[in-house]
């Protein structure tokens, strides 16, 4: 399993939010490149970049994303946040992202998702943001009234690059992961599963690895020093 530092972008800065609430910003690194350089220096090679402003329709951090992706050759980036049309999918992949992450439109428009997955096989990752068991959309502000199991079932036939499953109810709270949810997702899907939300300890990471997760996205615990980033990189980078 790979440990993946999150680089969440807001107003050009790298931030960490508690519980996905835009009113609860706990960490801010003014230059996202500083965050990337720090995690690189410890040995991390894969990064998850999210444009929070685009996710809420409040702007774009494309310039910051371009700087991150062009910084060093050979790194792996998954890039998402507000990717809701074909042009944005094409732009993200053309900018050097290894994978493009689609959430809201992927959940709401299966025909479009199928077209994107067929055009870019193995490079589209679907973000299933889960609150309790309900998949939520539009920057976690809207419910879909769909159970995570139903959503996963609909995604099974598609040639995806993976599933990014975020336990929204655990996000940024450093209270541990929703292990039963992640175990269920891994069991029920043939796609690589990236787990996100609540990763707090090395034991959380080991439990996700034992569950069969392909990757674990880590945010708050790394940025606050709750997790020993060097130790995480040694074991999981």
């Amino acid at each position: 399993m790979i440990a993946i530092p999150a680089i969440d972008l807001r107003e050009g800065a790298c931030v960490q939010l508690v519980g996905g609430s835009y009113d609860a910003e706990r960490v801010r690194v003014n230059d996202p490149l500083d965050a990337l350089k720090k995690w690189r220096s410890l040995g991390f090679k894969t990064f998850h970049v999210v444009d929070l402003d685009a996710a809420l329709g409040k702007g774009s951090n494309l310039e910051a994303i371009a700087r991150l992706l062009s910084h060093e050759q050979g790194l792996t980036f998954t890039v998402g946040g507000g990717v809701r049309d074909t042009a944005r999918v094409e732009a993200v992949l053309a900018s050097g992202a290894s994978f493009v992450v689609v959430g809201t439109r992927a959940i709401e428009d299966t025909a479009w998702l199928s077209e994107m997955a067929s055009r870019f096989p193995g490079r589209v990752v679907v973000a299933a943001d889960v609150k309790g068991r309900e998949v939520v959309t539009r920057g976690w502000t809207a419910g879909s009234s769909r159970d995570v199991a139903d959503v996963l079932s609909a995604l099974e036939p598609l040639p995806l690059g993976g599933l990014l499953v975020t336990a929204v109810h655990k996000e940024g709270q450093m209270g541990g992961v929703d292990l039963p949810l992640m175990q269920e997702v891994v069991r029920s899907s043939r796609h690589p599963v990236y787990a996100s939300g609540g990763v707090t300890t090395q034991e959380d990471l080991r439990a996700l690895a034992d569950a069969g997760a392909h990757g674990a996205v880590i945010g708050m615990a790394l940025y606050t020093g709750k997790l020993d980033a060097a130790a995480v990189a040694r074991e999981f980078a």
Side-chain angles (χ1 to χ4, degrees):
M1 188 187 76
I2 309 164
I4 306 169
I7 301 178
D8 295 348
L9 302 174
R10 181 186 194 186
E11 300 161 346
C14 170
V15 304
Q16 285 292 298
L17 309 178
V18 178
S21 169
Y22 287 76
D23 297 325
E25 181 184 304
R26 179 149 172 208
V27 173
R28 177 171 283 243
V29 180
N30 286 326
D31 187 347
L33 209 52
D34 289 342
L36 176 65
K37 289 174 181 175
K38 177 179 180 178
W39 305 136
R40 273 299 292 131
S41 72
L42 296 173
F44 292 99
K45 298 172 186 168
T46 302
F47 303 91
H48 179 57
V49 179
V50 180
D51 188 335
L52 295 174
D53 294 320
L56 275 189
K58 291 185 173 180
S60 169
N61 290 279
L62 280 178
E63 184 180 330
I65 292 170
R67 288 177 61 228
L68 291 168
L69 270 56
S70 63
H71 175 66
E72 179 184 344
Q73 297 297 308
L75 303 180
T76 298
F77 287 94
T78 61
V79 178
V83 181
R84 294 174 191 152
D85 59 50
T86 302
R88 181 74 179 226
V89 169
E90 293 169 342
V92 166
L93 292 175
S95 70
S98 307
F99 303 95
V100 60
V101 181
V102 292
T104 296
R105 182 143 184 214
I107 302 302
E108 296 176 352
D109 187 347
T110 310
W112 177 78
L113 173 62
S114 180
E115 180 190 343
M116 292 301 100
S118 298
R119 280 187 59 189
F120 305 104
R123 299 189 69 190
V124 176
V125 172
V126 172
D129 298 335
V130 184
K131 209 170 198 174
R133 290 191 58 86
E134 183 187 20
V135 174
V136 295
T137 59
R138 303 192 179 277
W140 304 348
T141 62
S144 69
S145 301
R146 296 178 68 190
D147 185 88
V148 60
D150 297 334
V151 171
L152 294 178
S153 176
L155 300 175
E156 271 305 280
L158 302 179
L160 301 175
L163 303 173
L164 172 63
V165 180
T166 298
V168 175
H169 47 286
K170 294 285 189 177
E171 181 72 21
Q173 298 176 51
M174 294 193 291
V177 298
D178 186 337
L179 192 60
L181 171 66
M182 300 307 172
Q183 289 169 330
E184 176 186 342
V185 172
V186 171
R187 277 198 310 269
S188 62
S189 179
R190 65 185 179 87
H191 300 302
V193 173
Y194 298 86
S196 175
V199 174
T200 309
T201 64
Q202 295 276 106
E203 287 67 35
D204 286 334
L205 291 167
R206 292 174 188 137
L208 290 171
D210 289 344
H214 181 76
V217 177
I218 317 171
M220 191 73 78
L222 282 184
Y223 285 89
T224 59
K226 177 86 172 174
L227 258 176
D228 182 338
V232 171
R234 280 195 300 273
E235 189 169 349
F236 293 107

